[in-house]
Structure formats: structure tokens, C-alpha cells
Amino acid sequence: MAEADALYGFAMMRMRDHHHAEELVQDAILTAWRKRGDFKGESSIKTWLIGILRFKILDFHRSAQRTPTMRNQHAGADDDPSDPMDRLFDAHGSWKIHPSAGLEILSDSPDHTVGQLEKIARLNHCIMCLPETLRVLFTARELNFMDLEDAADLARVAVASIPVLLTRARHSLRACLQAFGISPE
Amino acid sequence: MPLGYRVSHWILGLPLKWLGISCRDFALLASLEMDRKLTRAEKFRMRFHGAICQFCRELPEQFNQLRQLARNADLLGELAADLKMSEEAKERILREMRREPF
């Protein structure tokens, strides 16, 4: 059952509703249980479970009823109207803070195990700090490789606004990581 | 911020903004180009700014590294690892599993 939390976290990054997340996790675990004979040990059990869950999530999105929900043209406005860019740049569009400060975390070599887990923990925190719409969109496009239409439906935004919204998400994540790097606690 | 940056951007800041080639414009385009094709004008603006401002040059690489880090973490299943599923939901799963025929 230790894996259940990890699976739940995985699903929550991609779903708007924790009930759906729970259902899909349950579905994935039961499927794995039924098909345990298929597991040959080529990967860890967790990786295998996540693979099954990933598939279930994609399936869920594909077959979900596409009710014509009101797409928020000014998406993200309901979550958090402030633009992260406003905090990073002055009135002339120049940096208020050195663009490279505190971001060694991104360029450090990936072979140091402890460093790697810490990096991920920080990124994790930063992703969870994103407003919901941006988090769902970032996950959908960057991690799930969902196509634009599906990602737009999931996040309930206009397709055309996706690049701008992803930009906001990326800059928020970057600024969050930078803050960590500058004053780690 | 280094003095050199402050001085040059104090002088150049407003003109750069008018021309659409401020650091902020560059930072915006550096991310947009990851999701769509930039127009020729946008590409030129990016190149121009990159040529005159050394501070911003690392930005595209930072965004790529961020993307890689996120994807690697995702593959490991390590993101959102601290969220906990409710006990009731876990109970439900155990109950369903016990009902399964061996």
C-alpha cells in the first residue's frame, strides 16, 4: 500500500478531481493485481504500476464526455491573476534579479544521487505551488504529451492560449527554483 | 545585478522596450518557441537581443533543463510523491483485491 500514495500523487498531477484520481489508482492497482502473472521483473513494481496508471489516465481523458464547458478565455485569471513576469522584470522589461542566480540546480551534473532527489523534491514543491490550471496544463503538455485539443479540454482553456499559459507556468517554476537556490532553508 | 547591466539597461531599457527587444520580451519568446514556431520577426528579435545582452543567453538552456528535469522526475514517479491518498480509498482497494478470485 506504500505504492498507493505514490500512484495517487502521480494521478493528482494530471486530474482536476481527487475522486477521479482515487478511482483511477484503484483501477490501476486492481488491473495490476489481476495481471500479476504478466510482471516479469524487468522494472521495479512501482514503475510497472505507474505505466498501467499512465495508460488508464490517458484512456480516461480520451473517453471523457466532451461536454461543451465554458472555456475560460482569460484562463488562469480565476486561479491567480498576477503574471509571474511582473515580479521578475521592471517597467522597462529589464531583469530585477540576475537570471542565472540560484539556478545551478538546473545545470549540476545528474550523476550525484542525493543531489538528484533533492532537485526533484524542490521541483515537486514548485509544481504543487502552481495555480491549478497551470499545473494541469504543464503536466498535460510537458509530461503527458497530450495534444493541444485534449490539453485545452482538460485545463478548460482556449487552445490558442496554451503557449502563453505554459510560459507563465515555466517562468513561475523557474522563479520558484531560483528562490530556493538563493535562500535554501 | 552587476553594475554594467544596471547602467546599460538604465540607458537602453526604454528603447529596448519600445522596439520589443527587452529582456522580458526575450524571456517570453524563449519559452514560446518551445511550443510553437516563432514568426520571422520574433526569431530576429530573439537573436538581436541575444547578441547584445549576455545575461539572457542562458535562458533557453534553463528552460530545456527544466523540461528535462521534470520529465526525468516524472519517469521515476517521484513528482507529487508526498500527496497521500485517503485511508477510506485505500481500504476500498484492499476490499476489492480480497474479492478477486485467486
Side-chain angles (χ1 to χ4, degrees), chain A residues 42-55:
Chain A
E42 328 87 353
S43 62
S44 71
I45 291 195
K46 182 173 164 187
T47 306
W48 180 57
L49 283 170
I50 284 186
I52 294 175
L53 180 58
R54 205 189 282 273
F55 195 73

Side-chain angles (χ1 to χ4, degrees), chain A residues 13-47:
Chain A
M13 291 256 299
R14 292 156 171 77
M15 314 293 296
R16 296 189 75 97
D17 184 338
H18 78 97
H19 293 297
H20 287 143
E22 282 173 6
E23 272 175 36
L24 289 175
V25 169
Q26 173 168 320
D27 203 357
I29 291 180
L30 289 175
T31 300
W33 179 242
R34 281 178 217 128
K35 298 208 175 134
R36 58 194 182 279
D38 290 352
F39 179 64
K40 298 285 182 291
E42 328 87 353
S43 62
S44 71
I45 291 195
K46 182 173 164 187
T47 306

Side-chain angles (χ1 to χ4, degrees), chain B residues 65-82:
Chain B
Q65 285 164 341
L66 178 61
R67 180 181 256 178
Q68 261 328 112
L69 181 61
R71 285 182 183 167
N72 291 342
D74 187 48
L75 285 175
L76 292 173
E78 286 297 330
L79 291 178
D82 46 356

Side-chain angles (χ1 to χ4, degrees), chain A residues 170-185:
Chain A
R170 284 196 195 102
H171 272 283
S172 291
L173 291 175
R174 189 189 156 280
C176 175
L177 285 174
Q178 184 170 43
F180 257 120
I182 291 177
S183 49
E185 66 265 32

